[in-house]
Amino acid sequence: MSLLAPRAEAAQVQVAVAANFTEPAKEIAALFKKKTGNDVLLSFGASGGFYMQIIHDAPFQVFLSADEERPKLAVEKGYAVPESRFTYAVGKLVLWSRVMDVAKGEAALKAGAFSRLAIANPKSAPYGTAAVETMKALGLYDSLQPKIVQGNSIAQTFQFVDTKNAELGFVALSQLHGVSDGTRWVVPGNLHAPIRQDAVLLKKAANDEAAKAFLAFLKGPEARAVIERFGYALP
Amino acid sequence: MVALEHIWEPVRLTLELAAVTTLALLVIATPLAWWLARSKAKWKEAVAAVVSLPMVLPPTVLGFYLLVALGPDGPGGKIAGLWGARTLAFSFTGLVIGSIVASMPFVVQPIRNAFQAIGDRPLEAAATLRASPWQAFWRVALPLASPGLLSGAVLGFAHTVGEFGVILMIGGNIPGRTRVMSTAIFDYVENMQWGEANLLAAGMAVFAFVVILAMTYFEKRIARLR
């Protein structure tokens, strides 16, 4: 790989991106490339999986997690640069269906006229945690629990609803960008703890100018505009 | 601390899934393997290739098509409709169907090889003793091919136990219903529960070792048949 890596004039930043941030990350990477000439190599997946890879020396320089827990842990365990950690986006949870009307949200959940409700794995995916918190806040968790199916990541949860295997599911609003199909209910923010998504610079890239520039770019107005357009709140 | 009762659940489910899948596969694969071994049809090898596909296809490809096929818009949804459900995904039945497809080649091939190894002679001898083709199959071919059937069953069982990609795609990770050992390990690792992951993974490694050892033994017996 190192033989093929571009020379100093055009560096390459390797970024681990939480699945829910896939589309905005692609746009931001393209903008960054246009501005600085630096390539961004994006890997998409579940934050839990990335954390595991990072502590096993995966070649990432930047970690865009779906939560604040894992970047914090990466700092505590010495895998990331402490002062580099910041919240790049605040996720919005949405209930989405392609086969039934969920626009009324709570009422649709309460009626329970469905057999499968998809959520992301609440232990490893923050959108799953928020989904569980939402159902608990509505007092519906116990009655809905037998109907829950878990996707490994929020991307797989989306797949379950998209293929109609689950009638409805809690996904990230950002995933519905450009999707006109079906009905949706944006979950009010007071029903769950905020989904703060943190970014962090990994130790091995502590002195990498391109990686630091990418993180700075992620904080800047151009990136923020993209993040907002994809349905995230800004920190 | 490792919670054993949480570990037992995926182990039990995995063994159930592998047992049901293996039984179903023996019923499906034996006549199929017999036909593949004996038929003179020109398109026979095309059928054999289709049966072998899951060996080469990435599980994600299989899993993706299965997720669509088992869903409301696919044939699986129509079957599920018979008992008022919408989809076969996220159910034990769905996992069995997925496992049958994914493990099929591992069962068909050893049985087909065993049938082929018998050759024409024992069957011709049976015919001269006025055995009907059906009797020859049951009384002559099947007993002679039994090591192949056994190795097919063992391989099918083992492959179902180890299958990950297909189940991840169609399972939905439901404790006690679709969370099997391979997906549980994945889950534990993503949640940093190393103890549980270790225990399950080590168990599967030992199991795989025993299976390979057993296979070597069966293969020697098949070789002696020839």
Side-chain angles (χ1 to χ4, degrees), chain B residues 27-98:
Chain B
V27 173
I28 300 167
T30 306
L32 184 59
W34 176 252
W35 180 77
L36 287 173
R38 310 288 309 172
S39 166
K40 305 222 158 38
K42 277 193 187 122
W43 43 281
K44 177 175 89 173
E45 291 309 330
V47 176
V50 170
V51 170
S52 299
L53 268 183
M55 232 153 105
V56 185
L57 278 181
T60 38
V61 173
L62 275 186
F64 168 65
Y65 283 125
L66 280 167
L67 185 66
V68 173
L70 296 178
D73 294 340
K78 300 210 167 59
I79 296 169
L82 297 178
W83 57 88
R86 297 177 58 254
T87 171
L88 280 180
F90 321 127
S91 69
F92 188 77
T93 316
L95 293 196
V96 170
I97 293 171

Side-chain angles (χ1 to χ4, degrees), chain B residues 4-217:
Chain B
L4 278 175
E5 66 271 22
H6 293 307
I7 290 194
W8 174 238
E9 202 173 57
V11 172
R12 179 189 57 81
L13 192 67
T14 305
L15 295 178
E16 269 177 36
L17 177 64
V20 173
T21 302
T22 305
L23 283 178
L25 271 174
L26 283 176
V27 173
I28 300 167
T30 306
L32 184 59
W34 176 252
W35 180 77
L36 287 173
R38 310 288 309 172
S39 166
K40 305 222 158 38
K42 277 193 187 122
W43 43 281
K44 177 175 89 173
E45 291 309 330
V47 176
V50 170
V51 170
S52 299
L53 268 183
M55 232 153 105
V56 185
L57 278 181
T60 38
V61 173
L62 275 186
F64 168 65
Y65 283 125
L66 280 167
L67 185 66
V68 173
L70 296 178
D73 294 340
K78 300 210 167 59
I79 296 169
L82 297 178
W83 57 88
R86 297 177 58 254
T87 171
L88 280 180
F90 321 127
S91 69
F92 188 77
T93 316
L95 293 196
V96 170
I97 293 171
S99 301
I100 286 175
V101 175
S103 297
M104 180 84 81
F106 298 89
V107 182
V108 170
Q109 282 192 356
I111 302 181
R112 178 186 178 179
N113 291 342
F115 280 144
Q116 269 167 349
I118 295 170
D120 291 335
R121 257 196 220 153
L123 297 169
E124 283 165 7
T128 55
L129 296 170
R130 292 204 199 144
S132 71
W134 186 246
Q135 281 171 322
F137 174 77
W138 276 104
R139 300 227 182 122
V140 179
L142 219 48
L144 281 175
S146 60
L149 280 149
L150 198 54
S151 74
V154 172
L155 267 186
F157 189 92
H159 186 260
T160 306
V161 166
E163 178 53 53
F164 169 68
V166 167
I167 286 169
L168 186 75
M169 297 284 277
I170 63 175
N173 201 10
I174 307 170
R177 276 190 290 176
T178 61
R179 182 183 293 164
V180 295
M181 281 166 80
S182 58
T183 45
I185 291 174
F186 187 62
D187 224 43
Y188 287 137
V189 171
E190 293 224 321
N191 292 300
M192 294 170 269
Q193 292 170 269
W194 311 119
E196 284 88 344
N198 241 328
L199 200 62
L200 276 185
M204 286 185 98
V206 170
F207 173 72
F209 172 78
V210 170
V211 166
I212 291 168
L213 213 58
M215 289 310 301
T216 319
Y217 172 73

